[in-house]
Amino acid sequence: MADTKQQQDNPEAGRRKVLKTGVAMGSLAATASMPFWSQVALGQNETAVPFTDMPDGYTVPPKQAGGIYYQDTTKVEDFYSPNGNFYVIQHYTQPAINEADHSLKVTGLVNNELTLSLADLKRMQKFEIDAGFECGGNSPRLFQGLIGNARWGGVRLVDVLEAAGLDRDGIEVVFYGADKGMEKTRIDSDLQVEQAFGRSMHIDDALNPDIILAYEMNGEALPMFHGAPLRLVVPGWYGVANVKWLSQIHVQDRRFMGRFMGRDYVTLAKRDIGGEERWEERSVTKIRLKSSIIRVSKTGNDHNILGFVLNDGTPLRSVEVSIDGGPWQQAELDPRNSKYSWKLFNYTWRNASAGEHTIVSRVTDVTGEVQATQDEMPEKPTRWENYAQFPRTVRIG
Ligand SMILES: Nc1nc2c(c(=O)[nH]1)N[C@H]1C(S)=C(S)[C@@H](COP(=O)(O)O)O[C@H]1N2
Ligand SMILES: [Mo]
């Protein structure tokens, strides 16, 4: 099942798995001539070249319950982010969940309301999909650290919705986590009410067969920080859509206006709205086309420039790198990249001269959309959806 899906997205995945194993077995040999994607981790004769735009000795704080965790993106070593290294955002405190008692309720405009235990879900057909995502607030400030890429295992959301049977009047599907917090109301600044983390989608979006209710992450039971025992993963959408500690799915006949749809994770930008220039507020949903360089390393006379692309799953046309404002040069894409994974790329920079250099990447998709420079970005005072090109500086010594 899993492999069928993978191979649909990426028909060569099976062949590459074999290829990858072959390369790994040969890893005692010198690594310099191996294609970069055979191992993302630095090879034996490869040394990291520090960025001069990062503070000396840049380190990230440890992962802890209730806190935020981000990756040091210069240390990305694998196509799949190890579970312990995948970023964490949680807006409320850690909910105490006893896995044996936990259930998922499916309620509202359905023919049969359901209460599904984890065991019930595990009896359904298993589905696996690779999906990488970032927080809608990820940015150069943390050197793009609010990011991760994993293989998720669980059941398709559409299978659960079909089991419940959708009523014709439903237009919106709301997902509630078990975590709750006190939220201010608009009625009175002193009035606070306890609400659960909630996000929603239009029913047409929710019926995308790639959406997963995941109980596994990279082949292991879903870790507590990432929503154990069950989370939603909406491939191609910003992280906020991926409701952790999922406890209820509710189908309703009107829009859901909770904090994380209506107030928070709302991008304010000046856009052309059907020929009218308007300040528009839009809930953060699909990942905007973005690439970023995250590491430079040296092997012999060559420098390897590693980066990632994230987007909504639209196929890519190219990823390019420019050095010191020079011509755009094609980067090489990791063959493990799939529709919704992050897409790693490498550019081999030959005979770099000593001194300070500025390097930047840009991605173009098949629709012709080109990643904007900071100057080309719409006027956008909120921090959400920071997808501009990110020039980096390095010193070649
Ligand atoms: N229940 C619940 N789900 C949640 C959140 C949360 O606070 N509570 N945070 C969201 C946000 S803003 C992000 S970016 C992602 C982060 O997922 P991760 O911690 O597994 O990386 O989870 C989303 N799902
Ligand atoms: Mo987020």
Side-chain angles (χ1 to χ4, degrees):
M1 186 64 215
D3 278 325
T4 315
K5 176 68 200 105
Q6 268 321 111
Q7 280 160 18
Q8 269 168 13
D9 283 352
N10 183 352
E12 291 197 281
R15 185 180 70 83
R16 278 167 196 142
K17 223 180 261 168
V18 176
L19 209 60
K20 196 184 133 199
T21 316
V23 170
M25 282 163 58
S27 65
L28 291 178
T31 53
S33 61
M34 292 191 343
F36 89 94
W37 45 260
S38 60
Q39 53 166 65
V40 177
L42 291 184
Q44 265 177 330
N45 305 315
E46 195 174 3
T47 51
V49 178
F51 289 108
T52 52
D53 58 18
M54 284 177 108
D56 279 346
Y58 181 79
T59 50
V60 299
K63 222 176 210 188
Q64 48 189 214
I68 135 172
Y69 174 79
Y70 46 96
Q71 298 198 39
D72 175 347
T73 47
T74 65
K75 303 251 157 55
V76 165
E77 295 213 316
D78 204 332
F79 180 71
Y80 296 101
S81 309
N83 289 358
N85 204 23
F86 201 104
Y87 85 99
V88 178
I89 295 281
Q90 55 189 92
H91 291 277
Y92 301 133
T93 53
Q94 186 73 47
I97 295 180
N98 177 352
E99 193 174 311
D101 305 338
H102 188 73
S103 61
L104 171 67
K105 291 206 292 183
V106 185
T107 57
L109 297 174
V110 292
N111 302 329
N112 323 293
E113 294 200 331
L114 302 175
T115 301
L116 300 167
S117 67
L118 206 62
D120 293 333
L121 291 164
K122 285 184 175 168
R123 273 193 292 272
M124 292 175 62
Q125 184 161 43
K126 192 172 178 192
F127 171 59
E128 283 185 282
I129 190 164
D130 285 0
F133 54 86
E134 62 174 356
C135 177
N138 197 26
S139 75
R141 192 174 66 87
L142 298 174
F143 305 98
Q144 313 291 6
L146 294 171
I147 193 171
N149 185 56
R151 176 162 295 182
W152 306 94
V155 298
R156 292 183 198 263
L157 171 63
V158 68
D159 288 350
V160 170
L161 293 177
E162 266 168 23
L166 292 170
D167 186 294
R168 289 172 150 271
D169 296 332
I171 61 153
E172 184 97 336
V173 185
V174 190
F175 301 88
Y176 290 103
D179 50 331
K180 294 179 180 157
M182 295 305 288
E183 291 292 350
K184 290 199 189 80
T185 60
R186 293 174 203 239
I187 300 144
D188 171 348
S189 54
D190 293 333
L191 176 64
Q192 299 207 347
V193 294
E194 191 182 55
Q195 292 182 317
F197 183 90
R199 275 282 299 195
S200 72
M201 310 178 81
H202 187 275
I203 204 148
D204 291 347
D205 288 323
L207 292 175
N208 174 353
D210 292 327
I211 300 178
I212 185 168
L213 303 180
Y215 49 75
E216 279 178 12
M217 181 177 185
N218 291 324
E220 292 168 20
L222 189 68
M224 176 187 78
F225 293 128
H226 298 288
L230 189 70
R231 83 178 300 174
L232 176 71
V233 176
V234 184
W237 286 41
Y238 283 107
V240 67
N242 301 331
V243 178
K244 301 193 274 189
W245 311 293
L246 184 65
S247 62
Q248 187 175 6
I249 300 177
H250 187 75
V251 183
Q252 60 190 45
D253 64 358
R254 60 206 59 215
R255 304 306 301 270
F256 169 76
M257 301 283 284
R259 168 178 161 195
F260 297 96
M261 289 303 291
R263 301 199 296 289
D264 216 347
Y265 288 82
V266 172
T267 306
L268 171 65
K270 203 183 234 178
R271 298 186 210 269
D272 178 331
I273 304 290
E276 299 290 328
E277 190 175 67
R278 296 185 188 278
W279 281 103
E280 185 214 31
E281 288 165 288
R282 188 188 287 183
S283 185
V284 163
T285 55
K286 292 182 180 177
I287 301 177
R288 301 293 305 254
L289 184 65
K290 172 183 198 170
S291 75
S292 178
I293 290 169
I294 53 176
R295 191 183 76 198
V296 177
S297 59
K298 184 177 184 338
T299 22
N301 285 329
D302 291 342
H303 287 80
N304 306 305
I305 298 178
L306 176 74
F308 71 85
V309 171
L310 278 178
N311 77 340
D312 63 1
T314 304
L316 305 185
R317 180 178 291 163
S318 65
V319 184
E320 299 159 298
V321 169
S322 163
I323 315 258
D324 299 324
W328 290 104
Q329 316 266 1
Q330 290 290 334
E332 192 187 343
L333 286 161
D334 189 319
R336 290 170 294 182
N337 296 340
S338 63
K339 185 170 181 187
Y340 297 114
S341 72
W342 67 10
K343 288 152 260 290
L344 296 182
F345 66 86
N346 183 72
Y347 173 71
T348 306
W349 178 15
R350 308 213 185 268
N351 305 313
S353 60
E356 184 99 14
H357 296 277
T358 300
I359 58 181
V360 67
S361 66
R362 78 168 181 196
V363 55
T364 304
D365 72 17
V366 294
T367 72
E369 178 156 350
V370 184
Q371 185 185 4
T373 62
Q374 191 59 54
D375 288 347
E376 291 163 349
M377 290 286 282
E379 212 179 317
K380 188 177 72 59
T382 59
R383 65 197 166 100
W384 310 116
E385 305 185 70
N386 193 323
Y387 57 88
Q389 292 175 24
F390 179 25
R392 311 291 315 260
T393 54
V394 282
R395 193 189 323 279
I396 304 299

